[in-house]
Amino acid sequence: MRLMINNAPILVMVYDRLESLQKCIETLQKCEESVHSTLYVSSDQAYKTDDILKVIAVREYIKTIDGFKEVIPIFHNENKGLNGAYQFATDLIFEKYERIVFLEDDIIVAPNFLKFMNEGLEFYKNDSKVISISGFSHSVFFEIEAVFKSKIYFTNRWCPWGFAT
């Protein structure tokens, strides 16, 4: 049974990596919540001539994405760099929403990723100690006890590899 939660919009940042973006989107589409989620895809403009055709290919793909409640492309006409493009996109999204799920184009998510993020945002919405929820687990890099691999835990480090706030 699906909890009725207003799903946070998803922001995916991309530059010129078509294949990684396709894999990211394919895994998001496998999340049951994708059809109830608005997807924003921020595509920065090329900063060097060699990247122009790659950026065009990425944008053509973005125009074909489906499987979400709505897909909103953000195509920058000039190169803003990652920080500038991120700031523009998040400002745009926060004009309409109070929450966001953020991914870079090379992140692959599990089928329950959006459920975890949206339920986590709802559960911690009034807890001022929680500034974000991460879909990343340090167990990928570090040996931890098996019992902790599927547990929720708090850390004093912010992790940008797939987060919601």
Side-chain angles (χ1 to χ4, degrees):
M1 184 171 138
R2 183 177 190 283
L3 272 176
M4 290 310 295
I5 295 174
N6 290 327
N7 289 340
I10 306 157
L11 171 61
V12 177
M13 302 289 297
V14 64
Y15 178 61
D16 67 348
R17 300 184 297 194
L18 177 59
E19 285 185 29
S20 63
L21 175 63
Q22 289 169 326
K23 289 176 185 172
C24 176
I25 297 301
E26 287 168 8
T27 61
L28 280 169
Q29 289 167 327
K30 291 178 182 173
C31 295
E32 183 179 323
E33 292 73 19
S34 65
V35 296
H36 305 289
S37 303
T38 299
L39 173 68
Y40 289 81
V41 185
S42 176
S43 169
D44 205 2
Q45 185 56 270
Y47 71 91
K48 57 185 181 180
T49 309
D50 292 348
D51 295 340
I52 292 173
L53 292 178
K54 292 186 227 172
V55 170
I56 290 171
V58 162
R59 290 179 177 191
E60 289 304 312
Y61 169 70
I62 291 168
K63 293 175 191 176
T64 70
I65 296 172
D66 61 9
F68 297 86
K69 181 168 77 174
E70 184 177 16
V71 178
I72 301 174
I74 303 171
F75 295 162
H76 301 288
N77 294 324
E78 61 186 41
N79 183 270
K80 295 184 174 291
L82 179 59
N83 288 338
Y86 173 80
Q87 191 65 56
F88 180 89
T90 55
D91 286 349
L92 178 73
I93 294 168
F94 281 124
E95 285 176 7
K96 187 173 179 181
Y97 299 94
E98 294 179 349
R99 303 169 177 192
I100 189 172
V101 174
F102 174 83
L103 298 165
E104 288 191 35
D105 63 322
D106 62 344
I107 295 179
I108 304 301
V109 301
N112 64 345
F113 174 77
L114 292 176
K115 180 180 189 320
F116 177 82
M117 291 300 192
N118 284 295
E119 288 182 1
L121 285 170
E122 185 64 23
F123 185 82
Y124 291 108
K125 71 181 177 185
N126 296 317
D127 190 335
S128 62
K129 294 181 281 184
V130 177
I131 60 169
S132 68
I133 299 160
S134 179
F136 172 78
S137 174
H138 293 281
S139 66
V140 171
F141 295 121
F142 304 104
E143 191 64 37
I144 65 168
E145 292 180 45
V147 69
F148 293 117
K149 286 193 177 189
S150 63
K151 298 282 183 186
I152 294 172
Y153 58 90
F154 290 87
T155 180
N156 61 354
R157 296 190 56 156
W158 180 73
C159 183
W161 293 329
F163 71 90
T165 192

